[in-house]
Amino acid sequence: LGSGGMGAVFLAELDVDGTRQRVALKLLHGVPTQEGRRRFARERSLLAGLNHPHIAALLDGGESEAGQPYLVMEFVDGLPISEWAHRERPSLRTRLRTLVRVCRAAEHAHQRLVLHRDIKPGNVLVRGDGNPVLLDFGIGRVLGDTLAVTETATLAFTPAYAAPEQLTGHGLTTATDVYGLGALIFEVLSGVDLAQFAAPGAVLPAPSSVATDAHARRALAGDLDRIVAKSMHPDPARRYETAAALADDIERYLAGRPVLATPDSVGYRVRKFLQRHRAASAIAAAALLLMAGFVWRLDVERQRAL
């Protein structure tokens, strides 16, 4: 099915008491040390505890006779989310709802002390029914009880989608995955490959400034640009605190409510209120105009009578 820095993934069959199931078999590179085996077993047990409809399930794992670690994952038949967006041309709202599900899946893992560390379009597949599935938690890291990150048996990330702290290898927290989710949102909404902005020292543009579609540029400008910017801020402390907070802000946008990524002001709240209640606002404005016209007419008639 594919290969990379972590190893190779094969389509395989799992035979359980005569019942065959298609699975993805991931063979990891290298032979772990004794300490690495202990960590690998602990991480595998935590990954097996992830039970979410939008996370590919870990079914089994262990070592081959030669000592090569392997993971048996649920096989997901779908398209990478960026390819899905390009082929299917879903509406902006459909894309955002799909991204919210991915954020909720990441939050589920974080609550169970698992950090993904490699959230990118290739690790999110969208099934034929439109549901996304987050893959490759097999290279995730385990979060300690105080959110201090322990060592892990595997180290990997994709530079184009990696948070700044991943490049130094220090301070990895749930904010690292929030950055990856922001990168995912950038690419799915703009339709532009984020890798072209991955040069050292390059300044990340706003999604609306690089989107190829004029309608998308107008739709992304404003709140969605700011949501992406907050998610991908170089300083982890200035990103969304959790993946759930990012999902909540996207849902606020979908509901027409003020988003946390945009600086608050009276004018902004009034504008969002009017956008959220377009019909009622139009009726109220028309009623005010009629009342004003009626008062003006009464004044004219009064002056004439006098």
Side-chain angles (χ1 to χ4, degrees):
L1 297 175
S3 62
M6 287 298 303
V9 183
F10 299 89
L11 180 62
E13 280 190 344
L14 180 64
D15 189 339
V16 180
D17 297 330
T19 301
R20 294 177 179 270
Q21 176 185 358
R22 289 204 301 172
V23 296
L25 175 66
K26 184 161 191 173
L27 298 178
L28 304 179
H29 290 320
V31 177
T33 63
Q34 195 65 28
E35 177 65 16
R37 286 189 176 93
R38 185 189 64 79
R39 272 192 229 106
F40 184 71
R42 178 170 179 253
E43 293 182 7
R44 197 173 71 236
S45 66
L46 285 173
L47 293 171
L50 299 181
N51 183 19
H52 193 276
H54 302 302
I55 294 178
L58 177 68
L59 304 175
D60 197 3
E63 292 182 18
S64 67
E65 292 181 357
Q68 184 180 21
Y70 68 86
L71 297 170
V72 181
M73 313 289 294
E74 172 191 1
F75 171 66
V76 179
D77 188 8
L79 293 173
I81 191 168
S82 54
E83 186 178 345
W84 165 78
H86 177 72
R87 281 195 192 183
E88 301 296 330
R89 300 287 183 183
S91 66
L92 177 63
R93 297 186 71 84
T94 299
R95 297 182 194 214
L96 289 171
R97 290 192 186 100
T98 302
L99 289 163
V100 166
R101 296 188 187 108
V102 178
C103 293
R104 299 295 183 195
E107 179 64 15
H108 174 84
H110 294 167
Q111 290 174 345
R112 285 150 185 81
L113 309 180
V114 178
L115 193 65
H116 190 287
R117 298 190 307 141
D118 196 27
I119 296 177
K120 60 182 180 180
N123 279 339
V124 179
L125 298 185
V126 181
R127 300 182 191 268
D129 60 3
N131 280 308
V133 181
L134 187 55
L135 309 177
D136 234 352
F137 269 96
I139 69 165
R141 242 179 166 169
V142 179
L143 295 171
D145 294 338
T146 59
L147 293 185
V149 181
T150 67
E151 290 298 322
T152 184
T154 55
L155 295 171
F157 59 84
T158 305
Y161 306 95
E165 61 269 22
Q166 283 182 280
L167 303 179
T168 62
H170 299 291
L172 302 186
T173 65
T174 53
T176 304
D177 278 354
V178 170
Y179 185 97
L181 291 168
L184 193 71
I185 296 169
F186 182 107
E187 194 160 304
V188 171
L189 296 188
S190 69
V192 176
D193 188 354
L194 197 60
Q196 61 184 285
F197 307 112
V203 178
L204 190 68
S208 63
S209 67
V210 297
T212 55
D213 181 75
H215 176 72
R217 287 196 294 272
R218 290 191 298 271
L220 296 179
D223 285 344
L224 291 176
D225 275 346
R226 296 185 184 100
I227 287 174
V228 171
K230 184 175 178 64
S231 305
M232 301 184 69
H233 199 285
D235 182 0
R238 297 186 63 180
R239 297 175 202 152
Y240 289 98
E241 292 183 359
T242 63
L246 170 56
D248 290 344
D249 226 12
I250 296 175
E251 289 183 334
R252 287 189 194 94
Y253 173 84
L254 289 171
R257 299 184 180 279
V259 301
L260 300 181
T262 299
D264 200 7
S265 68
V266 174
Y268 172 67
R269 286 187 171 274
V270 169
R271 187 168 68 254
K272 296 299 287 187
F273 178 84
L274 294 178
Q275 291 174 353
R276 193 163 66 249
H277 303 285
R278 294 178 186 273
S281 299
I283 293 172
L288 287 174
L289 287 174
L290 286 173
M291 289 177 61
F294 182 69
V295 171
W296 172 78
R297 185 64 185 174
L298 282 179
D299 185 64
V300 169
E301 294 299 330
R302 177 176 176 277
Q303 295 298 329
R304 181 182 299 173
L306 291 175

